[in-house]
Amino acid sequence: SNPLCTPTRAGVQTGRYGFRTGIGHVYELNDRGYSLPYSELTLPEMLDAGTNGMYSTALFGKWHLANQSNGGTLSPNLAGYSHYSGLLGNVSIVESYFKWKKTVNGVSSNKTGYLTSDTVDDAIVWTGQQTKPWLAVVAFHAPHAPFHIPPANLHSVDLSNPTDLKKYQAALEALDTELGRLIQHLKQTGQYDNTTIILFGDNGTPGNLINATGFGKGSLYEGGINVPFIVKSPFVSVKGAESLALIQTLDVFA
């Protein structure tokens, strides 16, 4: 992946390198300057063009490609997603995973409740309503900072001594638990067997959590760019196999 989240997200949405899109660093909603240009053909726009509108498209959670120059809170919708619900950028210094600003199709309001769970809640509701093929991008914020203690029923980490590393591990396990809830929903609604699921990270682990400060997130060393990439699909013929092919997150678009 890229060593930071915004360039990776732009690459997934366009299939193009950052030097072509202009997205080479992290940008927040109130920043000026570069954002994902309207001229870029995005993942949902590509699906619309290639299938004559066959797919419903939605994005849940983190977008992180918006500022006032490309639609602000409407940026995901203007980029082609018929539905968007989530926290547009990072959890800010005045927010937490339990109190944050939620945007639904351009309209923002203050929200309480665990952010990871809310993302899955929305994805479950939307996928359950679809009657035609769909694309859902479920973009979790966790385990990104601020490091926090998730609801106890979502993890098994001993937090009697809550270091940042243990909070990070708990947030990641909570993400896994909630992802499992989404997968269970797809099974219960009969969608699982015919759904391709691609799971990957948008950058490496923060260096201060892996005892390698300077060689994790933000670095071009492997700790910053080497991330998990897991695919479950009816089009994958060999189950449980590992590929040693050299790929990158840009390849998701193709």
Side-chain angles (χ1 to χ4, degrees), residues 50-130:
T51 68
N52 196 27
M54 179 187 300
Y55 280 76
S56 299
T57 59
L59 192 145
F60 304 95
K62 186 176 180 180
W63 174 239
H64 219 187
L65 294 168
N67 65 20
Q68 299 309 315
S69 70
N70 71 341
T73 57
L74 274 172
S75 174
N77 303 94
L78 294 174
Y81 285 98
S82 55
H83 181 76
Y84 170 76
S85 176
L87 173 61
L88 282 163
N90 283 325
V91 180
S92 75
I93 58 174
V94 297
E95 296 175 314
S96 74
Y97 272 79
F98 298 90
K99 187 178 181 181
W100 42 281
K101 180 160 286 188
K102 182 174 183 176
T103 298
V104 180
N105 297 327
V107 179
S108 300
S109 60
N110 293 323
K111 175 73 176 180
T112 58
Y114 190 49
L115 177 55
T116 302
S117 298
D118 190 86
T119 301
V120 169
D121 289 344
D122 288 353
I124 285 175
V125 170
W126 186 84
T127 55
Q129 295 172 338
Q130 301 313 302

Side-chain angles (χ1 to χ4, degrees), residues 154-189:
L154 299 180
H155 71 91
S156 59
V157 178
D158 180 2
L159 292 173
S160 56
N161 178 28
T163 63
D164 281 349
L165 177 58
K166 288 185 176 181
K167 291 177 183 178
Y168 186 90
Q169 292 169 337
L172 186 57
E173 186 180 347
L175 185 157
D176 285 344
T177 301
E178 291 296 59
L179 182 61
R181 182 162 65 94
L182 176 57
I183 290 173
Q184 187 61 34
H185 157 75
L186 295 177
K187 290 180 178 179
Q188 291 171 346
T189 55

Side-chain angles (χ1 to χ4, degrees), residues 199-221:
L199 174 68
F200 58 92
D202 61 357
N203 53 242
T205 303
N208 63 317
L209 300 181
I210 56 176
N211 297 318
T213 302
F215 296 98
K217 176 180 178 178
S219 165
L220 290 174
Y221 286 98

